[in-house]
Amino acid sequence: MDKSHLLTDMEMVGFIVNGYHLLELDLPEGLNERIAGRLEELDHNPGDAIAEEVPELWQAIEHPAVEGALVSLLGEDYEVQGHRHWHCKQPHTGHMSWHQDSTNNRDNRIDRLLGLFYPTDITPEMGPTIIVPGTQFRNAPTDRMATYTNIHGQVPMVVRAGTFALTHYDLWHGTAANRTSLKRHMIKFLFRRVRDNRAPTWNHDPEAMNVPTAWGGKRDDPKNVLSFGNPIGVGQSDHYKERQIRWKCWNNLLGVADASDG
Amino acid sequence: MSPTPPNSGVRQRLLYLHARTPSVFSEILGYTPVEPVRDYRAEITADVPDWPYNTVHDALVDGWQIVQFPHLQAPINDRDLDVVGYEFILQKLEEVQDG
């Protein structure tokens, strides 16, 4: 694999803290349009068979930048799972409430990812996916989210055609209403870790964390972002817990057998 | 078939505020208004929310009343994270025009 597509320490820490990573793919000219055109012509939702109906999607899944990010986050022999789904948000349809897919399986690890591919530009009016950064480690059944609508720090996937968003499986997500006459296309893929890391699988600098702890100071290096990043501004108690979970996750990715709190 | 409600009258407006801490002076992380009019739905929006209050106290100053405070039972495992923030439910009883 071309190591230039592996994530950096800062990007890895960004994923641990925020629970997502965006890639704008340099796909062959016209590919996004062909994918969107095929989706527009579908008269049914083929479910898991969407990549057979629209085989051009494999060029996104197998793009070097996607593979590099997946190797970085899930290890060299990650699995592309068989479940995938075309999320076609119809014109003039309402929002979708916050949820996590499946049951909640929070732990300290990065073992499962969602891949969200957008073959067209997505505007705020088209019903973008919206995520809440940093919520991937929360043990919060979807029913408990029913009294939330807008949350401080939420991020709409208002993106350019050809964007591939990787999110932690347990990240809170929903959608805004589609107020346009256009269909909003998103194809969801699942990826899974097969085995634990014995060593870092990204572009890791062993000295990356060998910097002073910046209590109240500049925090734009991996160590201090991992410790102090607070994307939605949670309270001190939750932040302390987040910090412990993140360092366990980081140590697990490094291949440290007995991942400590750091 | 439910009866047709009158088009106006005193009704209960609700406001779910999720605050950073159980203190009414802490910043709000979640804001969900519920207006007592037919077909109303609170929605997640793509635009950056522009909330009228920064804290629960701001809402109290504006005449909202708290009808439920956050549940503060200590978690069994203090290493777990669950929902975002602490939920206050507030009300205002106001004359509402509906339709």
Side-chain angles (χ1 to χ4, degrees):
Chain A
M1 141 153 295
D2 178 356
K3 293 195 172 183
S4 68
H5 292 293
L6 297 177
L7 301 187
T8 64
D9 287 307
M10 198 64 181
E11 289 170 326
M12 290 293 290
V13 162
F15 189 92
I16 295 170
V17 170
N18 295 302
Y20 74 101
H21 183 73
L22 299 184
L23 298 162
E24 286 190 6
L25 306 182
D26 55 341
L27 293 168
E29 191 167 345
L31 185 71
N32 284 315
E33 291 80 359
R34 285 204 301 282
I35 292 173
R38 282 183 177 271
L39 294 172
E40 287 287 334
E41 290 170 2
L42 288 175
D43 60 2
H44 68 292
N45 195 325
D48 291 349
I50 185 64
E52 284 74 57
E53 295 270 357
V54 188
E56 292 91 341
L57 286 169
W58 286 106
Q59 293 186 58
I61 304 169
E62 295 175 349
H63 189 283
V66 174
E67 291 188 334
L70 288 169
V71 166
S72 300
L73 292 163
L74 295 179
E76 292 170 358
D77 47 2
Y78 67 86
E79 177 188 357
V80 182
Q81 295 196 276
H83 175 60
R84 50 198 62 133
H85 197 77
W86 168 40
H87 288 263
C88 178
K89 190 157 186 61
Q90 297 290 338
H92 306 294
T93 53
H95 84 293
M96 177 186 283
S97 302
W98 300 117
H99 64 282
Q100 294 166 310
D101 288 358
S102 188
T103 54
N104 184 265
N105 289 294
R106 186 193 69 75
D107 54 30
N108 302 323
R109 302 162 57 93
I110 297 175
D111 285 346
R112 288 193 299 174
L113 303 181
L114 299 177
L116 314 178
F117 178 64
Y118 300 90
T120 71
D121 290 347
I122 304 293
T123 68
E125 296 76 30
M126 286 173 68
T129 312
I130 305 186
I131 53 118
V132 189
T135 49
Q136 68 275 13
F137 297 128
R138 291 183 175 271
N139 205 359
T142 291
D143 285 356
R144 293 280 305 275
M145 305 175 196
T147 56
Y148 296 81
T149 49
N150 287 318
I151 298 175
H152 177 69
Q154 67 191 41
V155 175
M157 296 286 111
V158 175
V159 295
R160 296 165 62 99
T163 296
F164 204 101
L166 288 170
T167 78
H168 191 287
Y169 188 85
D170 288 331
L171 191 68
W172 292 22
H173 59 283
T175 65
N178 184 352
R179 304 195 187 285
T180 72
S181 57
L182 303 170
K183 295 175 183 174
R184 188 230 58 184
H185 301 295
M186 181 271 280
I187 303 93
K188 179 184 77 180
F189 302 93
L190 267 72
F191 306 98
R192 186 178 73 93
R193 173 181 296 282
V194 171
R195 70 188 79 249
D196 289 346
N197 280 1
R198 293 187 174 181
T201 57
W202 64 96
N203 278 323
H204 175 54
D205 174 3
E207 296 300 314
M209 298 303 192
N210 192 19
V211 296
T213 299
W215 300 104
K218 194 176 178 185
R219 294 169 177 174
D220 57 0
D221 60 87
K223 176 181 177 181
N224 286 293
V225 170
L226 194 65
S227 287
F228 298 111
N230 191 350
I232 63 170
V234 298
Q236 188 179 55
S237 298
D238 275 12
H239 185 50
Y240 283 162
K241 295 179 201 174
E242 284 181 342
R243 188 181 302 172
Q244 290 183 338
I245 291 169
R246 292 172 190 167
W247 277 98
K248 280 187 179 177
C249 181
W250 172 258
N251 287 334
N252 183 268
L253 289 167
L254 286 176
V256 176
D258 181 21
S260 66
D261 291 353
Chain B
M1 187 171 176
S2 58
T4 303
N7 288 338
S8 64
V10 174
R11 295 186 188 171
Q12 184 184 36
R13 302 175 67 205
L14 292 175
L15 189 57
Y16 291 80
L17 297 180
H18 296 92
R20 191 170 184 260
T21 79
S23 165
V24 297
F25 299 109
S26 69
E27 296 90 345
I28 292 168
L29 300 178
Y31 184 92
T32 300
V34 179
E35 298 298 347
V37 296
R38 281 166 288 194
D39 301 324
Y40 176 83
R41 292 288 182 275
E43 282 196 358
I44 301 172
T45 58
D47 300 324
V48 176
D50 184 17
W51 298 336
Y53 312 122
N54 292 322
T55 66
V56 174
H57 184 259
D58 287 347
L60 296 178
V61 170
D62 195 35
W64 290 89
Q65 298 175 321
I66 298 172
V67 294
Q68 182 169 297
F69 287 87
H71 296 290
L72 294 176
Q73 186 177 22
I76 294 170
N77 182 345
D78 200 33
R79 289 174 178 266
D80 274 352
L81 291 159
D82 46 48
V83 293
V84 170
Y86 294 83
E87 184 175 86
F88 290 82
I89 306 176
L90 300 92
Q91 73 166 5
K92 257 188 184 181
L93 298 175
E94 287 189 328
E95 184 82 17
V96 171
Q97 295 292 325
D98 186 5

